[in-house]
Coordinates of all heavy atoms in Angstrom, one line a residue:
T599 N 6.7 2.8 -16.3 CA 7.6 4.0 -16.4 C 8.0 4.5 -15.0 O 9.2 4.7 -14.7 CB 6.9 5.1 -17.1 OG1 6.5 4.7 -18.4 CG2 7.8 6.3 -17.2
N600 N 7.0 4.6 -14.1 CA 7.3 5.1 -12.7 C 7.0 3.9 -11.8 O 6.3 3.0 -12.1 CB 6.4 6.3 -12.4 CG 6.4 7.4 -13.4 OD1 7.5 8.0 -13.7 ND2 5.3 7.6 -14.1
Q601 N 7.6 4.1 -10.6 CA 7.4 3.1 -9.5 C 7.6 3.7 -8.2 O 8.2 4.7 -8.0 CB 8.4 1.9 -9.7 CG 9.8 2.3 -9.9 CD 10.7 1.1 -10.5 OE1 10.4 -0.1 -10.2 NE2 11.7 1.4 -11.2
A602 N 7.0 3.0 -7.2 CA 7.1 3.5 -5.8 C 6.7 2.4 -4.9 O 5.9 1.5 -5.2 CB 6.1 4.7 -5.6
S603 N 7.2 2.4 -3.6 CA 6.9 1.4 -2.7 C 7.1 1.9 -1.3 O 7.9 2.8 -1.0 CB 7.7 0.1 -2.9 OG 9.1 0.4 -2.9
C604 N 6.4 1.2 -0.3 CA 6.7 1.6 1.1 C 6.2 0.4 2.0 O 5.4 -0.5 1.6 CB 5.9 2.9 1.5 SG 4.1 2.8 1.3
G605 N 6.7 0.3 3.2 CA 6.3 -0.7 4.1 C 6.9 -0.5 5.5 O 7.7 0.4 5.7
A606 N 6.5 -1.4 6.4 CA 7.0 -1.3 7.8 C 7.0 -2.7 8.4 O 6.3 -3.6 7.9 CB 6.0 -0.4 8.7
S607 N 7.9 -2.9 9.4 CA 8.0 -4.2 10.0 C 8.2 -4.1 11.5 O 8.6 -3.0 12.0 CB 9.2 -5.0 9.4 OG 10.4 -4.3 9.7
G608 N 8.0 -5.2 12.2 CA 8.2 -5.3 13.7 C 8.5 -6.7 14.1 O 7.9 -7.6 13.6
G609 N 9.5 -6.9 15.0 CA 9.9 -8.2 15.5 C 9.2 -8.6 16.8 O 8.8 -7.7 17.6
D610 N 9.0 -9.9 17.0 CA 8.4 -10.4 18.1 C 9.4 -10.9 19.2 O 10.5 -11.4 18.8 CB 7.4 -11.6 17.7 CG 6.7 -12.2 18.9 OD1 5.9 -11.5 19.6 OD2 7.0 -13.4 19.2
A611 N 9.0 -10.9 20.4 CA 9.8 -11.5 21.5 C 11.3 -11.0 21.6 O 12.2 -11.7 21.6 CB 9.8 -13.0 21.4
V612 N 11.4 -9.6 21.6 CA 12.7 -9.0 21.7 C 12.7 -8.1 22.9 O 11.6 -7.6 23.3 CB 13.1 -8.2 20.4 CG1 13.4 -9.1 19.3 CG2 12.0 -7.2 20.1
S613 N 13.8 -7.8 23.5 CA 13.9 -7.1 24.8 C 13.5 -5.6 24.5 O 12.9 -5.0 25.4 CB 15.3 -7.1 25.4 OG 16.2 -6.6 24.5
E614 N 13.8 -5.1 23.3 CA 13.4 -3.8 22.9 C 12.8 -3.9 21.5 O 13.3 -4.6 20.7 CB 14.5 -2.8 22.9 CG 15.1 -2.4 24.3 CD 16.2 -1.4 24.2 OE1 16.9 -1.3 23.2 OE2 16.2 -0.6 25.1
S615 N 11.7 -3.2 21.3 CA 10.9 -3.4 20.1 C 11.8 -3.1 18.9 O 12.6 -2.2 18.8 CB 9.7 -2.4 20.1 OG 10.1 -1.1 20.3
N616 N 11.7 -4.0 17.9 CA 12.6 -4.1 16.8 C 11.7 -3.7 15.6 O 11.0 -4.6 15.0 CB 13.2 -5.5 16.7 CG 14.0 -5.7 15.4 OD1 14.2 -4.7 14.6 ND2 14.4 -6.9 15.2
T617 N 11.6 -2.4 15.2 CA 10.8 -2.0 14.2 C 11.5 -1.1 13.2 O 12.5 -0.5 13.5 CB 9.6 -1.1 14.7 OG1 10.1 0.1 15.3 CG2 8.8 -1.9 15.8
T618 N 11.0 -1.1 12.0 CA 11.6 -0.2 10.9 C 10.6 0.1 9.9 O 9.5 -0.5 9.8 CB 12.8 -1.0 10.3 OG1 13.6 -0.1 9.5 CG2 12.4 -2.2 9.5
R619 N 10.9 1.0 9.0 CA 10.1 1.3 7.8 C 10.9 1.7 6.6 O 12.1 2.1 6.8 CB 9.1 2.4 8.1 CG 9.7 3.7 8.8 CD 8.7 4.6 9.3 NE 9.2 5.4 10.4 CZ 9.0 6.7 10.6 NH1 8.1 7.3 9.8 NH2 9.5 7.3 11.6
I620 N 10.4 1.5 5.5 CA 11.1 1.7 4.2 C 10.2 2.3 3.2 O 9.0 2.1 3.2 CB 11.7 0.4 3.7 CG1 12.6 0.6 2.5 CG2 10.6 -0.6 3.4 CD1 13.4 -0.7 2.2
A621 N 10.8 3.2 2.3 CA 10.1 3.7 1.2 C 11.0 4.0 0.1 O 12.2 4.3 0.3 CB 9.4 5.0 1.6
S622 N 10.5 4.0 -1.2 CA 11.4 4.2 -2.3 C 10.5 4.7 -3.5 O 9.4 4.2 -3.7 CB 12.2 3.0 -2.7 OG 12.9 3.2 -3.9
N623 N 11.0 5.7 -4.2 CA 10.4 6.1 -5.5 C 11.2 5.6 -6.7 O 10.9 6.0 -7.8 CB 10.2 7.6 -5.6 CG 11.5 8.4 -5.4 OD1 12.6 7.8 -5.6 ND2 11.3 9.7 -5.2
A624 N 12.1 4.6 -6.4 CA 12.9 4.0 -7.5 C 12.7 2.5 -7.5 O 13.3 1.8 -8.3 CB 14.3 4.3 -7.3
H625 N 11.8 1.9 -6.6 CA 11.5 0.5 -6.6 C 10.0 0.3 -6.5 O 9.3 1.1 -5.8 CB 12.2 -0.2 -5.4 CG 13.7 0.0 -5.4 ND1 14.4 1.1 -5.0 CD2 14.7 -0.9 -5.9 CE1 15.7 0.9 -5.2 NE2 15.9 -0.3 -5.7
C626 N 9.5 -0.8 -7.0 CA 8.1 -1.1 -6.9 C 7.9 -2.2 -5.8 O 6.8 -2.5 -5.5 CB 7.5 -1.6 -8.2 SG 8.5 -3.0 -9.0
L627 N 9.0 -2.7 -5.2 CA 8.9 -3.7 -4.2 C 10.0 -3.4 -3.2 O 11.2 -3.3 -3.6 CB 9.1 -5.1 -4.8 CG 9.2 -6.3 -3.8 CD1 7.9 -6.4 -3.1 CD2 9.5 -7.5 -4.6
S628 N 9.7 -3.3 -1.9 CA 10.7 -3.0 -0.9 C 10.3 -3.8 0.4 O 9.2 -3.7 0.9 CB 10.7 -1.5 -0.5 OG 11.2 -0.7 -1.6
Y629 N 11.3 -4.5 0.9 CA 11.1 -5.3 2.1 C 12.3 -5.1 3.0 O 13.5 -5.5 2.6 CB 11.0 -6.8 1.7 CG 10.5 -7.7 2.7 CD1 9.2 -8.3 2.6 CD2 11.2 -8.0 3.9 CE1 8.8 -9.2 3.6 CE2 10.8 -8.9 4.8 CZ 9.5 -9.5 4.7 OH 9.1 -10.4 5.6
S630 N 12.1 -4.6 4.2 CA 13.3 -4.4 5.1 C 13.0 -5.0 6.5 O 11.9 -5.3 6.8 CB 13.5 -2.9 5.3 OG 12.5 -2.3 6.0
W631 N 14.1 -5.1 7.2 CA 14.0 -5.6 8.6 C 15.0 -5.0 9.5 O 16.2 -4.8 9.1 CB 14.3 -7.2 8.5 CG 14.0 -7.8 9.9 CD1 14.9 -8.3 10.7 CD2 12.7 -8.0 10.5 NE1 14.3 -8.8 11.8 CE2 13.0 -8.6 11.7 CE3 11.4 -7.7 10.1 CZ2 11.9 -9.0 12.6 CZ3 10.4 -8.0 11.0 CH2 10.6 -8.7 12.2
G632 N 14.7 -4.6 10.7 CA 15.5 -4.0 11.7 C 16.4 -4.9 12.4 O 16.6 -6.0 12.0
P633 N 17.1 -4.5 13.6 CA 16.8 -3.3 14.3 C 17.3 -2.0 13.7 O 18.1 -2.1 12.7 CB 17.5 -3.5 15.7 CG 18.6 -4.4 15.3 CD 18.1 -5.3 14.2
I634 N 16.9 -0.9 14.2 CA 17.2 0.4 13.6 C 18.7 0.6 13.4 O 19.2 1.1 12.4 CB 16.6 1.5 14.4 CG1 16.9 2.9 13.7 CG2 17.1 1.6 15.8 CD1 16.1 4.0 14.3
A635 N 19.5 0.1 14.4 CA 21.0 0.4 14.3 C 21.6 -0.6 13.3 O 22.8 -0.4 12.9 CB 21.6 0.2 15.7
D636 N 20.9 -1.6 12.8 CA 21.5 -2.6 11.9 C 20.4 -2.9 10.9 O 20.2 -4.1 10.5 CB 21.9 -3.8 12.7 CG 22.7 -4.8 11.8 OD1 23.3 -4.3 10.8 OD2 22.6 -6.0 12.0
N637 N 19.8 -1.9 10.3 CA 18.7 -2.2 9.4 C 19.2 -2.9 8.1 O 20.2 -2.5 7.6 CB 18.0 -0.9 9.0 CG 16.8 -1.1 8.1 OD1 17.0 -1.1 6.9 ND2 15.7 -1.2 8.7
D638 N 18.4 -3.8 7.7 CA 18.8 -4.5 6.4 C 17.6 -4.4 5.4 O 16.4 -4.6 5.8 CB 19.0 -6.0 6.7 CG 20.3 -6.3 7.4 OD1 21.3 -5.6 7.1 OD2 20.3 -7.2 8.3
I639 N 18.0 -4.0 4.2 CA 17.0 -4.1 3.1 C 17.1 -5.6 2.6 O 18.0 -6.0 1.9 CB 17.3 -3.1 2.0 CG1 17.3 -1.7 2.5 CG2 16.3 -3.3 0.8 CD1 17.8 -0.7 1.5
L640 N 16.1 -6.4 2.9 CA 16.1 -7.8 2.6 C 15.9 -8.0 1.1 O 16.6 -8.8 0.5 CB 15.1 -8.6 3.4 CG 15.4 -8.5 5.0 CD1 14.4 -9.5 5.6 CD2 16.8 -8.8 5.3
V641 N 14.9 -7.3 0.6 CA 14.5 -7.5 -0.9 C 14.1 -6.1 -1.4 O 13.2 -5.5 -0.8 CB 13.4 -8.5 -1.1 CG1 13.1 -8.6 -2.6 CG2 13.8 -9.9 -0.5
Q642 N 14.6 -5.7 -2.5 CA 14.1 -4.6 -3.3 C 14.0 -5.0 -4.7 O 14.9 -5.7 -5.3 CB 14.9 -3.3 -3.1 CG 14.6 -2.6 -1.8 CD 15.1 -1.1 -1.9 OE1 16.2 -0.9 -2.1 NE2 14.2 -0.2 -1.6
G643 N 12.9 -4.6 -5.4 CA 12.7 -4.9 -6.8 C 12.4 -3.7 -7.6 O 11.7 -2.8 -7.2
E644 N 13.1 -3.6 -8.7 CA 13.0 -2.5 -9.7 C 12.5 -3.0 -11.0 O 12.9 -4.0 -11.5 CB 14.4 -1.9 -9.9 CG 14.4 -0.7 -10.8 CD 15.8 -0.1 -11.0 OE1 16.8 -0.8 -10.5 OE2 16.0 0.9 -11.7
F645 N 11.5 -2.2 -11.5 CA 10.9 -2.6 -12.8 C 11.9 -2.6 -13.9 O 12.7 -1.6 -14.0 CB 9.7 -1.6 -13.1 CG 9.2 -1.8 -14.5 CD1 8.2 -2.8 -14.8 CD2 9.7 -1.1 -15.6 CE1 7.7 -3.0 -16.0 CE2 9.2 -1.3 -16.9 CZ 8.2 -2.2 -17.1
T646 N 11.9 -3.6 -14.7 CA 12.9 -3.7 -15.8 C 12.1 -3.6 -17.1 O 12.4 -2.7 -18.0 CB 13.7 -5.0 -15.8 OG1 14.4 -5.1 -14.6 CG2 14.6 -5.1 -17.0
Q647 N 11.1 -4.4 -17.3 CA 10.3 -4.4 -18.6 C 9.0 -5.2 -18.4 O 9.0 -6.1 -17.6 CB 11.1 -4.9 -19.8 CG 11.5 -6.4 -19.7 CD 12.4 -6.8 -20.8 OE1 13.6 -6.7 -20.7 NE2 11.8 -7.3 -21.9
W648 N 8.1 -4.9 -19.3 CA 6.9 -5.8 -19.5 C 7.4 -7.0 -20.3 O 8.2 -6.8 -21.2 CB 5.8 -5.1 -20.2 CG 5.2 -4.0 -19.4 CD1 4.9 -2.7 -20.0 CD2 4.7 -3.9 -18.1 NE1 4.4 -1.9 -19.1 CE2 4.2 -2.6 -17.9 CE3 4.6 -4.8 -17.1 CZ2 3.6 -2.2 -16.7 CZ3 4.0 -4.4 -15.9 CH2 3.6 -3.1 -15.7
I649 N 6.9 -8.2 -20.0 CA 7.2 -9.4 -20.8 C 5.9 -10.1 -21.1 O 4.8 -9.6 -20.7 CB 8.1 -10.3 -20.0 CG1 7.5 -10.8 -18.7 CG2 9.5 -9.7 -19.8 CD1 8.3 -11.8 -17.9
T650 N 5.9 -11.1 -21.9 CA 4.7 -11.8 -22.3 C 4.0 -12.3 -21.0 O 4.6 -13.0 -20.2 CB 5.0 -13.1 -23.1 OG1 5.7 -12.6 -24.3 CG2 3.8 -13.8 -23.5
D651 N 2.8 -11.8 -20.8 CA 1.9 -12.2 -19.7 C 2.5 -11.8 -18.3 O 2.2 -12.4 -17.3 CB 1.7 -13.7 -19.7 CG 0.9 -14.2 -20.9 OD1 0.1 -13.4 -21.4 OD2 1.1 -15.3 -21.3
G652 N 3.3 -10.7 -18.3 CA 3.8 -10.4 -17.0 C 4.8 -9.3 -16.9 O 4.9 -8.4 -17.8
V653 N 5.7 -9.3 -15.9 CA 6.6 -8.2 -15.6 C 8.0 -8.8 -15.2 O 8.0 -9.9 -14.6 CB 6.1 -7.3 -14.5 CG1 5.9 -8.1 -13.2 CG2 7.0 -6.1 -14.3
R654 N 9.0 -8.2 -15.5 CA 10.4 -8.6 -15.1 C 10.9 -7.5 -14.1 O 10.9 -6.3 -14.4 CB 11.3 -8.7 -16.3 CG 12.8 -9.1 -16.0 CD 13.5 -9.4 -17.2 NE 13.0 -10.6 -17.8 CZ 13.2 -11.0 -19.1 NH1 13.9 -10.2 -19.9 NH2 12.7 -12.1 -19.6
L655 N 11.4 -8.0 -13.0 CA 12.0 -7.1 -12.0 C 13.5 -7.4 -11.8 O 13.9 -8.6 -12.0 CB 11.3 -7.3 -10.6 CG 9.8 -7.1 -10.5 CD1 9.4 -7.2 -9.0 CD2 9.4 -5.7 -11.1

Side-chain angles (χ1 to χ4, degrees):
T599 301
N600 308 298
Q601 50 196 325
S603 57
C604 61
S607 66
D610 179 64
V612 291
S613 60
E614 291 184 327
S615 53
N616 175 5
T617 64
T618 190
R619 49 190 153 145
I620 187 170
S622 174
N623 57 15
H625 299 85
C626 53
L627 175 63
S628 295
Y629 193 113
S630 70
W631 188 251
I634 183 173
D636 187 30
N637 181 273
D638 289 322
I639 301 175
L640 298 189
V641 180
Q642 279 197 304
E644 181 182 3
F645 173 85
T646 299
Q647 66 184 86
W648 299 128
I649 57 175
T650 302
D651 297 332
V653 61
R654 177 171 296 160
L655 303 184

